[in-house]
Amino acid sequence: MLYFKASAHRSIMTTISANLQAVLARIDAAARQYGRDPRDVALLAVSKTWPADCVRDAAAAGQQAFGENYVQEGLEKIAGLRMCGLEWHFIGPLQSNKTRPVAENFDWVHSIDRLKIAERLSEQRPESLPPLSVCLQVNVSGEATKSGASPAEAPALASAIARLPRLRLRGLMAIPEPVETLSAQRLPFRRLRELYEQLQADGLAMDTLSMGMSHDLEAAIAEGATLVRVGTAIFGERNYA
Ligand SMILES: *Cc1c(COP(=O)(O)O)cnc(C)c1O
């Protein structure tokens, strides 16, 4: 019994490590293809639905930053892996009654789409921790998706968030609708990058364009992503059952 468990675990670990190397190679190749420095594109490993052991395996293979979508699940992994010194990013929809544990335990939040959430996170961020790094989520796919601020409201919202004392506005995030071709994938990412550049020109200091996932990270890197959020290509297909 022990033998089978151990060997099964060893093969999962090998798979995660190999997948991670393959994703890093994709990032590297895309960055070079589009004339960018691969070191300017960070990898966030999205570990939602995967147990802490999988995170531990990815960490052993060198991955430092992990993304979670569900508050309770994320908190359990953060607590269980406290000694690993990992960086935790909250990337899922956030309700206002769940902001406190996020402010107290995560390093980043990518999914801020309204001021009320940002204000609560700022109020609840403990003084003993550095300011919480945040991204404003923008809906660049139009009516197809519902989450994220509209591009029209983004400038005022970003300025208001940037003024909150216990937050540090790092940039913008988007989750475009899945589409097939590279050129179609690039369009919403280009919209997000243009908005990002406009806000920078207006005087907001930001360093993060959080865009691109397993199926479209090349298109995101082509359009200037500085952080790609990758789950499936590292850990495998998720089972939500
Ligand atoms: C699940 C998720 C990802 C990762 O998606 P994959 O297709 O598994 O790479 C990235 N960003 C967000 C916000 C997610 O919810």
Side-chain angles (χ1 to χ4, degrees):
M1 219 31 193
L2 207 61
Y3 171 78
F4 287 113
K5 274 187 189 160
S7 80
H9 181 251
R10 190 164 303 121
S11 86
I12 289 167
M13 178 153 177
T14 308
T15 306
I16 288 176
S17 175
N19 288 348
L20 197 52
Q21 297 318 309
V23 168
L24 290 170
R26 279 176 66 189
I27 292 172
D28 200 84
R32 287 170 199 283
Q33 180 176 353
Y34 298 105
R36 303 190 49 208
D37 187 334
R39 287 170 300 189
D40 291 340
V41 185
L43 173 60
L44 180 67
V46 177
S47 45
K48 66 180 178 212
T49 78
W50 295 100
D53 276 345
C54 291
V55 174
R56 207 186 297 274
D57 291 347
Q63 179 63 28
Q64 242 277 301
F66 293 86
E68 289 286 334
N69 287 57
Y70 310 103
V71 176
Q72 194 51 42
E73 182 191 340
L75 293 177
E76 283 166 21
K77 282 179 228 177
I78 291 171
L81 298 167
R82 191 77 71 192
M83 304 316 288
C84 299
L86 303 174
E87 185 178 285
W88 292 96
H89 296 228
F90 189 80
I91 61 174
L94 186 52
Q95 295 163 347
S96 56
N97 62 350
K98 299 252 180 76
T99 51
R100 183 176 295 280
V102 171
E104 291 177 348
N105 290 279
F106 281 82
D107 302 294
W108 284 66
V109 175
H110 291 234
S111 43
I112 293 192
D113 60 357
R114 54 195 195 278
L115 189 57
K116 184 185 174 195
I117 297 289
E119 286 171 342
R120 290 179 67 92
L121 288 169
S122 182
E123 280 160 22
Q124 294 166 344
R125 181 67 168 175
E127 288 294 336
S128 57
L129 296 176
L132 182 66
S133 285
V134 300
C135 292
L136 173 61
Q137 183 177 350
V138 182
N139 178 359
V140 283
S141 289
E143 290 157 33
T145 53
K146 294 282 177 283
S147 47
S150 74
E153 66 188 342
L157 203 44
S159 316
I161 293 169
R163 285 193 295 269
L164 293 171
R166 299 294 296 144
L167 301 189
R168 181 171 164 211
L169 180 66
R170 299 296 295 266
L172 304 180
M173 181 272 232
I175 316 172
E177 283 293 282
V179 288
E180 285 303 317
T181 66
L182 183 81
S183 57
Q185 289 172 352
R186 285 181 67 159
L187 285 175
F189 292 141
R190 184 172 313 152
R191 246 175 256 138
L192 192 71
R193 192 239 307 153
E194 286 169 354
L195 182 60
Y196 177 74
E197 289 171 347
Q198 179 200 319
L199 297 181
Q200 285 179 322
D202 291 347
L204 283 181
M206 300 182 293
D207 61 7
T208 302
L209 255 182
S210 167
M211 58 189 198
M213 319 203 302
S214 291
H215 67 285
D216 57 10
L217 69 89
E218 283 83 4
I221 290 170
E223 293 296 342
T226 67
L227 181 153
V228 292
R229 308 177 310 268
V230 179
T232 308
I234 296 172
F235 296 107
E237 294 287 344
R238 284 179 294 275
N239 180 1
Y240 286 96

